Amino acid sequence: MTQHTPSALRRNLIRAGVAAGALGGIGILAECSRMPVEPFTPPTPALPPQTSAQALTWQNWSGIQTCQPQAIQSPADEAAVLQLLTNSQSPVRCVGAGHSFTTLVPTPGQIVSLDSLSGIAGQDGALVRIQAGTRLAQLARELDARGLAMHNQPDIDAQSLAGAISTATHGTGMTLPALHAKVKALRLATPSGQIVEYSEQRLPELLQAAKVSLGSLGILTEMTLEAVPAYRLRRKVWLLPVQDMLDQAPQLARQHRHFEFYYLPFTGYAAAITHDIATSAEQLRPDSGDEAMLHSLKQLRDRLGRFPELRRWIAKKLINPAQQETAQDQSWKLLSTSRPTRFNESECHVPQEAGIACVREVIQRLEQRNDVYFPLEFRFVQEDDAWLSPFYQRASCSVAVHAAAGEAWRYLVDDIAPVFRRYEGRPHWGKLHAHQAGDFAALYPRWKDFLALRQEYDPAGRMLNPHLRQIFGVQS
């Protein structure tokens, strides 16, 4: 296959005009090769407790969820977390980066940021004690400085470790589990003002219960993560007609350490992305991504949304299927990405053997709406044993659909949910979904066990908000 530089690819793609204005070529590889990793900037500390009559307002990353809490607290250490839980009787919800799209955080009570509980607290070989508020971007850099790395990473690294673990955040790889599977011990501040500690040696069953708990059992303060020796990856990105991609996806997932694909609506093409262990010290990075793909796909939608067949025809003229790009660097520099364009997202995890059939139907549903342009993401995840993990004892495929922030998004749930239900989809806890309390017992074998444990830890429901009360079937 012919190799082109990224700049040449873009030049070759700028070739068509549509309607009143010129439409640039679809620079798919500029985006799917991921935005460059920027130097990590510590998050701005959370606001102090509210003392004036002016109401506080909190909103999530995409702006879709907002609330006016009594206060936003930022305890300095574990002792302060315990004091907060002991002295306050109002509802308490933790927040990390606010990257959840569901109403996991909004509360009329107190929002607690763990940003001050940040950094590596200790190390014993590959076992690393990490404070719960540490952002994944910071953690990746601190581990790298110690010659270590996370076994895998999600495609966004802004989240706090506690938030990522509590919602079962994952990357991609048929033999790679989600982040929480590598948590070997944790410390939890309970609503009663106690610290409990669980590990694989001490109360391992409760460790599996507490890993993915949606912040409903208390406040995580520290986790022990099993790291791996730092490693380098080589990435390859290329385009295939979507039907070829769907046919080849299972085999590609078996052949590569990491495999995923993005389907580009109304183009007939998907972009495959693989990462494998690099065998050389070469560093190779393409030109920095400029979101050219999203911009071009949006232009196609805006100008030709009423003419889907013409939109497809133009897209195929603009896309050069011979495009291919490679990159090579440290794992953390390639696996996670910067996302300047904000969006809303729905994601479900279906049994791996049903993944291709499910995503075929999701693509069909998406393209029944002419306003769709955001790519669909498809990934593989290994099974694990956390009680509320969507991957509990089930190797899975993840199907994620997106809509730009500020645009219609309800269809992500209303139109796609029936497909996910048909394939026994378990929703990503941080992504928009249509599942109700009555759905979960059939999907999660340990669901009733978790409900009983939650009731024992928090009988007054202080760690709950309206969303979690609905999820767990708890009356107000």
Side-chain angles (χ1 to χ4, degrees), residues 170 344-351 354-366 375-379 390 394 396-402 409-429 431-436 439-440 443-444:
H170 62 95
N344 291 302
E345 181 177 358
S346 179
E347 181 177 23
C348 250
H349 314 292
V350 301
I356 299 301
C358 178
V359 75
R360 285 184 192 275
E361 288 197 38
V362 171
I363 289 171
Q364 291 172 358
R365 284 291 182 100
L366 279 180
L376 169 152
E377 186 178 18
F378 185 82
R379 293 179 282 179
R394 193 174 83 178
S396 301
C397 286
S398 296
V399 184
V401 290
H402 315 73
W409 59 267
R410 284 295 321 176
Y411 70 90
L412 298 178
V413 176
D414 297 340
D415 294 358
I416 309 302
V419 180
F420 287 150
R421 287 180 185 277
R422 194 155 49 248
Y423 290 95
E424 300 182 353
R426 295 171 177 170
H428 188 304
W429 293 114
K431 310 294 175 67
L432 299 164
H433 63 84
H435 286 71
Q436 305 294 318
D439 298 324
F440 295 111
L443 293 172
Y444 291 87

Side-chain angles (χ1 to χ4, degrees), residues 81 104 112 131 202 295 298 305 353 423 440 447 456-457:
V81 171
L104 278 174
V112 177
Q131 295 191 82
R202 183 178 181 275
H295 177 70
K298 184 176 186 298
E353 60 272 17
Y423 290 95
F440 295 111
W447 184 255
E456 177 186 340
Y457 274 58

Side-chain angles (χ1 to χ4, degrees), residues 157-170:
D157 61 6
Q159 306 98 315
S160 69
L161 180 63
I165 296 303
S166 296
T167 57
T169 295
H170 62 95

Side-chain angles (χ1 to χ4, degrees), residues 312-367:
R312 289 188 178 91
W313 184 84
I314 291 291
K316 289 180 179 179
K317 294 294 183 182
L318 294 171
I319 289 176
N320 175 5
Q323 291 181 93
Q324 177 180 312
E325 280 186 1
T326 58
Q328 185 166 303
D329 213 324
Q330 292 297 107
S331 60
W332 60 273
K333 293 183 180 181
L334 294 183
L335 291 175
S336 292
T337 178
S338 172
R339 295 291 190 193
T341 298
R342 302 198 178 206
F343 53 84
N344 291 302
E345 181 177 358
S346 179
E347 181 177 23
C348 250
H349 314 292
V350 301
Q352 200 169 96
E353 60 272 17
I356 299 301
C358 178
V359 75
R360 285 184 192 275
E361 288 197 38
V362 171
I363 289 171
Q364 291 172 358
R365 284 291 182 100
L366 279 180
E367 293 193 338

Side-chain angles (χ1 to χ4, degrees), residues 145-156:
R146 295 168 180 251
L148 298 171
M150 287 176 271
H151 77 287
N152 199 0
Q153 288 183 225
D155 61 4
I156 295 176

